[in-house]
Protein backbone atom coordinates (compact mmCIF):
# COMPACT_ATOMS: atom_id res chain seq x y z
CA UNK A 1 0.00 0.00 0.00
CA UNK A 2 1.54 3.28 -1.04
CA UNK A 3 1.16 6.43 1.04
CA UNK A 4 -0.13 9.34 -1.02
CA UNK A 5 -0.21 13.10 -0.43
CA UNK A 6 -2.53 15.16 -2.64
CA UNK A 7 -1.94 18.88 -3.27
CA UNK A 8 -5.00 20.97 -4.14
CA UNK A 9 -6.15 24.57 -4.57
CA UNK A 10 -9.83 24.32 -5.52
CA UNK A 11 -12.92 22.20 -5.64
CA UNK A 12 -11.10 18.88 -5.43
CA UNK A 13 -13.18 16.67 -7.70
CA UNK A 14 -9.98 14.88 -8.74
CA UNK A 15 -9.07 14.46 -5.08
CA UNK A 16 -12.51 12.89 -4.59
CA UNK A 17 -11.95 10.40 -7.41
CA UNK A 18 -8.63 9.40 -5.83
CA UNK A 19 -10.23 9.06 -2.38
CA UNK A 20 -13.01 6.89 -3.83
CA UNK A 21 -10.53 4.74 -5.76
CA UNK A 22 -8.46 4.11 -2.62
CA UNK A 23 -11.63 3.17 -0.75
CA UNK A 24 -12.68 0.59 -3.32
CA UNK A 25 -9.16 -0.82 -3.43
CA UNK A 26 -8.69 0.10 -7.11
CA UNK A 27 -5.68 2.11 -5.96
CA UNK A 28 -3.57 -0.02 -3.62
CA UNK A 29 -2.76 2.93 -1.41
CA UNK A 30 -4.00 5.46 1.12
CA UNK A 31 -4.24 9.22 0.95
CA UNK A 32 -2.65 10.24 4.22
CA UNK A 33 -2.35 13.99 3.70
CA UNK A 34 -3.99 16.79 1.70
CA UNK A 35 -2.15 20.10 1.35
CA UNK A 36 -4.01 23.13 0.01
CA UNK A 37 -2.53 26.41 -1.20
CA UNK A 38 -5.95 27.97 -0.65
CA UNK A 39 -7.56 28.06 2.82
CA UNK A 40 -11.04 28.29 1.24
CA UNK A 41 -10.65 25.27 -1.06
CA UNK A 42 -13.63 22.91 -0.96
CA UNK A 43 -11.09 20.11 -1.40
CA UNK A 44 -10.17 20.60 2.28
CA UNK A 45 -13.76 19.78 3.30
CA UNK A 46 -13.63 16.63 1.17
CA UNK A 47 -10.46 15.55 2.97
CA UNK A 48 -11.91 16.30 6.41
CA UNK A 49 -15.10 14.39 5.60
CA UNK A 50 -12.89 11.40 4.87
CA UNK A 51 -10.78 11.74 7.98
CA UNK A 52 -7.65 12.74 6.04
CA UNK A 53 -5.12 15.06 7.68
CA UNK A 54 -4.96 18.50 6.06
CA UNK A 55 -2.57 21.43 5.96
CA UNK A 56 -2.74 24.87 4.32
CA UNK A 57 0.35 26.56 2.88
CA UNK A 58 -0.30 29.94 1.26
CA UNK A 59 2.18 30.99 -1.42
CA UNK A 60 2.16 34.71 -0.58
CA UNK A 61 3.35 33.97 2.95
CA UNK A 62 6.72 32.99 1.44
CA UNK A 63 9.22 35.03 -0.54
CA UNK A 64 9.80 32.55 -3.34
CA UNK A 65 8.78 29.09 -4.49
CA UNK A 66 11.80 27.47 -2.81
CA UNK A 67 10.75 28.82 0.61
CA UNK A 68 7.14 27.89 -0.10
CA UNK A 69 8.25 24.36 -1.00
CA UNK A 70 10.54 24.18 2.04
CA UNK A 71 7.46 24.76 4.23
CA UNK A 72 5.70 21.91 2.40
CA UNK A 73 8.75 19.66 2.82
CA UNK A 74 8.62 20.33 6.55
CA UNK A 75 4.99 19.11 6.66
CA UNK A 76 5.87 16.00 4.63
CA UNK A 77 8.78 15.10 6.89
CA UNK A 78 8.41 11.76 8.64
CA UNK A 79 5.16 10.93 6.84
CA UNK A 80 6.79 8.37 4.58
CA UNK A 81 5.05 9.62 1.44
CA UNK A 82 5.61 7.49 -1.68
CA UNK A 83 3.69 9.66 -4.14
CA UNK A 84 2.56 13.28 -4.37
CA UNK A 85 -0.42 13.91 -6.65
CA UNK A 86 -1.09 17.45 -7.78
CA UNK A 87 -4.84 17.73 -8.34
CA UNK A 88 -5.78 21.23 -9.43
CA UNK A 89 -2.81 22.63 -7.46
CA UNK A 90 -2.17 26.07 -8.88
CA UNK A 91 1.28 26.85 -7.49
CA UNK A 92 4.59 25.97 -9.05
CA UNK A 93 6.84 23.86 -6.83
CA UNK A 94 10.49 24.68 -6.17
CA UNK A 95 13.45 22.58 -7.28
CA UNK A 96 14.05 21.54 -3.67
CA UNK A 97 10.87 19.46 -3.40
CA UNK A 98 11.13 18.22 -6.98
CA UNK A 99 14.65 16.90 -6.31
CA UNK A 100 13.70 15.33 -2.99
CA UNK A 101 10.67 13.58 -4.51
CA UNK A 102 12.16 12.96 -7.95
CA UNK A 103 9.73 10.99 -10.19
CA UNK A 104 7.36 10.78 -7.25
CA UNK A 105 5.34 13.92 -8.04
CA UNK A 106 2.67 13.65 -10.73
CA UNK A 107 0.09 16.10 -12.06
CA UNK A 108 -3.10 16.01 -14.09
CA UNK A 109 -3.59 18.64 -16.77
CA UNK A 110 -6.86 19.20 -18.67
CA UNK A 111 -5.40 19.04 -22.21
CA UNK A 112 -3.19 16.85 -24.38
CA UNK A 113 0.29 18.06 -23.39
CA UNK A 114 2.54 19.40 -24.79
CA UNK A 115 -0.35 21.29 -26.38
CA UNK A 116 -2.17 23.88 -24.28
CA UNK A 117 0.18 23.76 -21.32
CA UNK A 118 2.57 26.17 -19.69
CA UNK A 119 2.38 29.20 -17.44
CA UNK A 120 -1.12 30.64 -17.15
CA UNK A 121 -2.72 27.57 -18.77
CA UNK A 122 -4.99 26.17 -16.11
CA UNK A 123 -8.66 25.44 -15.57
CA UNK A 124 -11.10 27.12 -17.95
CA UNK A 125 -8.32 29.06 -19.72
CA UNK A 126 -7.13 25.79 -21.21
CA UNK A 127 -10.54 24.92 -22.63
CA UNK A 128 -11.04 28.45 -23.99
CA UNK A 129 -7.71 28.17 -25.83
CA UNK A 130 -8.61 24.74 -27.24
CA UNK A 131 -11.99 25.96 -28.57
CA UNK A 132 -10.37 29.07 -30.04
CA UNK A 133 -7.74 26.99 -31.85
CA UNK A 134 -10.44 24.82 -33.46
CA UNK A 135 -8.51 21.69 -32.43
CA UNK A 136 -10.31 18.44 -33.26
CA UNK A 137 -9.31 16.81 -30.01
CA UNK A 138 -8.52 17.73 -26.48
CA UNK A 139 -8.27 15.50 -23.42
CA UNK A 140 -6.24 15.10 -20.28
CA UNK A 141 -2.68 14.18 -19.39
CA UNK A 142 -1.05 12.69 -16.32
CA UNK A 143 2.64 13.50 -16.23
CA UNK A 144 5.64 13.64 -13.95
CA UNK A 145 6.35 17.08 -12.55
CA UNK A 146 9.66 18.76 -13.20
CA UNK A 147 10.83 22.33 -12.76
CA UNK A 148 9.06 23.64 -15.86
CA UNK A 149 5.31 24.17 -16.08
CA UNK A 150 3.41 21.19 -17.55
CA UNK A 151 6.64 19.76 -18.91
CA UNK A 152 7.70 16.43 -17.31
CA UNK A 153 7.37 13.05 -19.09
CA UNK A 154 3.85 12.00 -19.97
CA UNK A 155 2.52 8.95 -18.13
CA UNK A 156 -0.98 8.56 -19.62
CA UNK A 157 -3.31 10.55 -21.83
CA UNK A 158 -6.97 10.28 -22.75
CA UNK A 159 -8.35 11.94 -25.85
CA UNK A 160 -11.73 13.69 -26.02
CA UNK A 161 -13.29 14.83 -29.31
CA UNK A 162 -14.13 18.52 -29.57
CA UNK A 163 -17.58 18.82 -31.16
CA UNK A 164 -18.59 21.79 -33.28
CA UNK A 165 -21.09 23.02 -30.72
CA UNK A 166 -18.77 22.62 -27.71
CA UNK A 167 -18.18 25.64 -25.51
CA UNK A 168 -15.29 25.89 -23.01
CA UNK A 169 -17.82 24.83 -20.34
CA UNK A 170 -19.13 21.73 -22.13
CA UNK A 171 -15.59 20.70 -23.08
CA UNK A 172 -14.41 21.20 -19.48
CA UNK A 173 -17.20 18.93 -18.30
CA UNK A 174 -16.30 16.17 -20.77
CA UNK A 175 -12.58 16.40 -20.01
CA UNK A 176 -13.13 16.43 -16.24
CA UNK A 177 -15.19 13.25 -16.51
CA UNK A 178 -12.21 11.57 -18.19
CA UNK A 179 -9.79 13.03 -15.62
CA UNK A 180 -11.74 11.28 -12.89
CA UNK A 181 -11.01 7.94 -14.59
CA UNK A 182 -7.49 8.62 -15.88
CA UNK A 183 -5.94 9.88 -12.65
CA UNK A 184 -6.91 6.83 -10.56
CA UNK A 185 -5.65 4.56 -13.39
CA UNK A 186 -2.29 6.33 -13.46
CA UNK A 187 -1.95 6.22 -9.66
CA UNK A 188 -2.86 2.53 -9.67
CA UNK A 189 -0.14 1.86 -12.25
CA UNK A 190 2.35 3.85 -10.22
CA UNK A 191 1.47 1.87 -7.09
CA UNK A 192 1.87 -1.41 -8.97
CA UNK A 193 5.25 -0.31 -10.37
CA UNK A 194 3.93 -0.36 -13.92
CA UNK A 195 5.18 3.07 -14.98
CA UNK A 196 8.68 3.68 -16.29
CA UNK A 197 10.63 6.52 -14.69
CA UNK A 198 10.80 8.26 -18.02
CA UNK A 199 7.05 8.03 -18.36
CA UNK A 200 7.57 5.17 -20.82
CA UNK A 201 4.10 3.72 -20.23
CA UNK A 202 2.54 6.67 -22.02
CA UNK A 203 -0.82 5.65 -23.45
CA UNK A 204 -3.05 7.55 -25.79
CA UNK A 205 -6.72 6.72 -25.58
C1 LIG B 1 -8.76 19.98 -13.20
O1 LIG B 1 -9.40 20.10 -14.44
C2 LIG B 1 -7.25 19.86 -13.40
O2 LIG B 1 -6.90 19.13 -14.52
C3 LIG B 1 -6.88 21.31 -13.56
O3 LIG B 1 -7.63 21.98 -12.60
C4 LIG B 1 -8.88 21.29 -12.40
C5 LIG B 1 -9.05 21.03 -10.92
O4 LIG B 1 -10.33 20.53 -10.65
N1 LIG B 1 -5.48 21.50 -13.39
C6 LIG B 1 -4.78 22.38 -14.10
O5 LIG B 1 -5.26 23.14 -14.91
C7 LIG B 1 -3.27 22.37 -13.79
N2 LIG B 1 -2.55 23.03 -14.83
P1 LIG B 1 -10.64 19.80 -9.27
O6 LIG B 1 -10.18 20.75 -8.16
O7 LIG B 1 -12.12 19.65 -9.27
O8 LIG B 1 -9.90 18.51 -9.25
Amino acid sequence: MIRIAVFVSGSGTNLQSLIDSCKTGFIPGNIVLVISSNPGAYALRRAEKNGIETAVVVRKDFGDKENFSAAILEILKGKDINLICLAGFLQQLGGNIIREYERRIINIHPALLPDFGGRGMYGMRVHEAVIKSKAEYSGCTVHYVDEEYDHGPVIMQKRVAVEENDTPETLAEKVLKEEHKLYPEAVRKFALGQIGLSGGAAEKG
Side-chain angles (χ1 to χ4, degrees):
M1 297 288 270
I2 61 163
R3 292 170 62 81
I4 304 165
V6 183
F7 293 7
V8 297
S9 303
S11 123
T13 63
N14 277 292
L15 166 67
Q16 190 68 54
S17 78
L18 295 175
I19 291 173
D20 295 345
S21 301
C22 287
K23 274 195 187 161
T24 63
F26 180 70
I27 294 175
N30 289 310
I31 299 170
V32 296
L33 177 67
V34 169
I35 295 183
S36 177
S37 64
N38 167 14
Y42 186 68
L44 286 168
R45 304 285 89 74
R46 295 183 192 271
E48 282 157 12
K49 277 186 200 165
N50 286 277
I52 300 168
E53 183 184 338
T54 61
V56 175
V57 187
V58 176
R59 174 67 180 83
K60 67 172 165 41
D61 293 343
F62 301 90
D64 57 25
K65 64 181 180 181
E66 300 286 327
N67 284 322
F68 170 67
S69 301
I72 294 176
L73 278 170
E74 211 35 54
I75 297 167
L76 295 173
K77 213 179 241 173
K79 295 211 160 57
D80 213 9
I81 301 294
N82 307 107
L83 176 68
I84 295 172
C85 295
L86 310 188
F89 185 67
L90 297 182
Q91 297 298 331
Q92 198 179 16
L93 292 170
N96 47 358
I97 190 167
I98 288 165
R99 282 189 297 275
E100 187 149 340
Y101 286 85
E102 199 181 2
R103 293 291 185 264
R104 287 186 290 153
I105 309 179
I106 64 176
N107 179 45
I108 188 152
H109 184 79
L112 296 175
L113 291 175
D115 296 339
F116 305 103
R119 189 182 279 274
M121 272 294 181
Y122 58 85
M124 202 51 79
R125 293 184 187 197
V126 176
H127 306 297
E128 282 162 3
V130 171
I131 296 282
K132 211 169 160 192
S133 77
K134 305 217 182 303
E136 261 183 275
Y137 293 99
S138 188
C140 44
T141 302
V142 178
H143 65 97
Y144 285 114
V145 172
D146 65 11
E147 287 192 55
E148 280 177 58
Y149 271 112
D150 301 327
H151 178 263
V154 169
I155 296 168
M156 292 178 85
Q157 290 186 310
K158 176 71 187 178
R159 218 160 64 157
V160 169
V162 182
E163 313 287 346
E164 236 172 275
N165 57 355
D166 266 326
T167 62
E169 290 73 21
T170 60
L171 181 60
E173 200 175 307
K174 287 196 271 187
V175 170
L176 193 60
K177 210 167 149 202
E178 294 303 330
E179 290 183 48
H180 295 161
K181 291 186 257 176
L182 190 72
Y183 215 1
E185 274 176 38
V187 174
R188 174 183 162 83
K189 278 184 191 263
F190 181 97
L192 296 175
Q194 293 173 353
I195 296 173
L197 291 183
S198 58
E203 288 177 11
K204 288 204 184 217

